[in-house]
Amino acid sequence: MSNPYREIFRAPGAKGFAAAGFIARLPVAMAPIGIVAMLSQTHGEYWLAGAVSATFALTNALLSPQISRLVDRFGQSAIVTPATLISVVAFAALMAGANQGWPTWTLFLSALFAATMPSMPAMIRARWTELFRNRPELNTAFAFESAMDEMMYIAGASLSVGLSVSLFPEAGILVNTLLLAFGTAAFILQRSSEPRIAPAEQRATGSAIRLRPVQIITLALIFVGAIFATAEVSAVAITRELGQPDAASLVIGVYALGSFVLGLVIGALNLTMPLQRQFAIALGVIALTQVPLLFAGTVPLLALAVFLSGVAISPTFITAFGLIERRVPESMLTEGVTWVMTGIGIGMALGAFAAGWVVDTFGARNGFWVSVVAGVVALATALVSQRALARERREATPVALAQPAE
């Protein structure tokens, strides 16, 4: 039996853009926590560090879909290059401001401009789609990308904090900026795999978020993102309550491991079940596996429950991006993928806030109620939307696409 992952990398240019893309996307995980690690050391105020980091994250969540919309219209090279250049210069200014004690407003301004950093996971998925559109290999490619996203969050956050703590405060953001600059340059220079630009007469108008499938999937993944963040916050709180705070990193690592492994397995299978049904099943598994978290009273039981609760995260992402590829017009693909990525990020921010409030108010063990509620809402969203998600993509004229898809 052939290895499906070996097969997708036989495509011309696949190895090159995948390798460069992994380097270029590490800043997605490195930047927010790197800003906190840097400013908390240089200024000694966590509120300031958190506020600047939140400014970057929320602005990036708003700007990324707009940048991707321009990419769909004008191409990756034309848009990603200047957007990245602005972000790199802004990160440099942020480091200088932190090191030299510039006024506080300069830190927030630098964070705003740094948020022009493009959504590299969306750019990479667009290239895979260009290679394998309407072919089973695309499912394998999306599975690989979901696994790489898991590695990105694990490796990126750890690398950023580790560098800042062990070397000097700006080290994490410095490496973040270098990876963003060189990784993106290496990615953009590979022009042969860049997705083609749709002809003007086939180009859709309006935003992808006006399309019903994008709205549904983004909403569902906001709640999945909340589950992801709640696991991290609650794991830290519970292990501290149990007197084993060092175990938090192990528990969180196990969470990502379960998702990573099952994602690779799903990618190797050629499932024939409709994607919208796979999406609902994956969300059903997520909702069901949140319940044991409420009863984990020891670190080993917590690690086991967290492992089980994470196994369906990657399959959910795989089917979500597969639905976007099949239900969104080709001329809106990058923006559609970016909206879903934005939904995950928004969910993580909201989930971290909600879980933190619940932990502070009702105790560490009750933080996982946020996961239970989010899982149920995500599943309900998918179940009531099965008919809408089952409708095939309509490659219509720009005029027809200007209205929300029904």
Side-chain angles (χ1 to χ4, degrees):
M1 181 179 179
S2 62
N3 184 335
Y5 292 100
R6 184 184 298 119
E7 294 299 319
I8 64 172
F9 282 107
R10 287 179 177 172
K15 292 179 181 177
F17 77 71
F22 180 75
I23 295 171
R25 78 169 124 198
L26 279 172
V28 173
M30 293 183 69
I33 191 65
I35 292 172
V36 172
M38 177 177 67
L39 295 180
S40 62
Q41 293 181 81
T42 59
H43 288 66
E45 295 176 307
Y46 280 94
W47 74 265
L48 176 64
V52 175
S53 179
T55 298
F56 167 82
L58 293 177
T59 306
N60 184 250
L62 294 173
L63 287 182
S64 289
Q66 313 313 318
I67 292 171
S68 293
R69 183 177 172 186
L70 292 174
V71 166
D72 284 328
R73 184 172 182 180
F74 299 107
Q76 291 185 351
S77 300
I79 302 302
V80 171
T81 301
T84 301
L85 182 59
I86 294 171
S87 184
V88 166
V89 172
F91 274 125
L94 183 59
M95 286 186 285
N99 183 266
Q100 299 298 315
W102 291 357
T104 299
W105 66 266
T106 64
L107 303 178
F108 285 97
L109 184 63
S110 297
L112 281 171
F113 280 97
T116 60
M117 184 174 74
S119 176
M120 291 309 298
M123 306 301 157
I124 301 167
R125 284 178 169 88
R127 294 203 178 200
W128 284 118
T129 302
E130 187 74 8
L131 286 175
F132 300 123
R133 193 182 306 277
N134 299 322
R135 291 168 55 185
E137 289 92 336
L138 187 59
N139 181 69
T140 302
F142 281 175
F144 174 79
E145 288 305 313
S146 294
M148 292 303 99
D149 286 342
E150 296 286 353
M151 289 186 63
M152 170 187 73
Y153 282 112
I154 296 171
S158 300
L159 178 63
S160 189
V161 173
L163 289 169
S164 293
V165 173
S166 61
L167 297 179
F168 50 90
E170 300 84 7
I173 292 297
L174 175 60
V175 172
N176 163 89
T177 306
L178 293 174
L179 292 175
L180 176 63
F182 290 107
T184 304
F187 182 82
I188 290 300
L189 286 173
Q190 299 179 62
R191 301 295 299 275
S192 63
S193 58
E194 182 174 345
R196 62 182 177 84
I197 303 172
E201 63 273 13
Q202 298 177 14
R203 204 173 290 157
T205 60
S207 173
I209 196 62
R210 298 180 65 192
L211 302 177
R212 188 67 57 80
V214 178
Q215 295 172 350
I216 294 168
I217 296 168
T218 300
L219 177 62
L221 291 196
I222 285 175
F223 293 100
V224 174
I227 292 171
F228 196 84
T230 301
E232 296 181 351
V233 173
S234 298
V236 170
I238 291 177
T239 52
R240 182 179 301 163
E241 184 180 83
L242 293 172
Q244 298 176 266
D246 293 342
S249 58
L250 172 64
V251 171
I252 294 171
V254 166
Y255 180 75
L257 177 64
S259 177
F260 177 83
V261 171
L262 189 57
L264 290 178
V265 172
I266 293 295
L269 302 176
N270 186 16
L271 301 177
T272 57
M273 182 185 298
L275 275 176
Q276 69 275 7
R277 194 173 303 167
Q278 294 182 44
F279 186 57
I281 291 173
L283 289 173
V285 174
I286 287 178
L288 182 64
T289 53
Q290 302 313 302
V291 177
L293 293 168
L294 300 172
F295 306 99
T298 66
V299 169
L301 285 177
L302 178 64
L304 177 60
V306 166
F307 175 84
L308 293 175
S309 72
V311 294
I313 296 292
S314 276
T316 299
F317 290 170
I318 294 166
T319 53
F321 290 120
L323 282 167
I324 289 293
E325 185 273 329
R326 297 190 186 185
R327 303 295 183 260
V328 174
E330 293 180 18
S331 62
M332 288 181 158
L333 178 64
T334 309
E335 185 192 353
V337 171
T338 305
W339 274 114
V340 174
M341 296 295 299
T342 296
I344 297 169
I346 292 172
M348 290 180 68
L350 295 176
F353 173 79
W357 179 82
V358 171
V359 167
D360 287 339
T361 307
F362 301 104
R365 297 178 191 277
N366 288 309
F368 284 120
W369 277 108
V370 177
S371 295
V372 173
V373 173
V376 171
V377 176
L379 173 60
T381 301
L383 290 176
V384 301
S385 306
Q386 286 291 289
R387 289 183 62 186
L389 292 177
R391 295 192 180 110
E392 292 296 325
R393 171 176 59 210
R394 293 185 297 178
E395 294 294 354
T397 63
V399 174
L401 288 171
Q403 301 298 323
E406 295 297 324

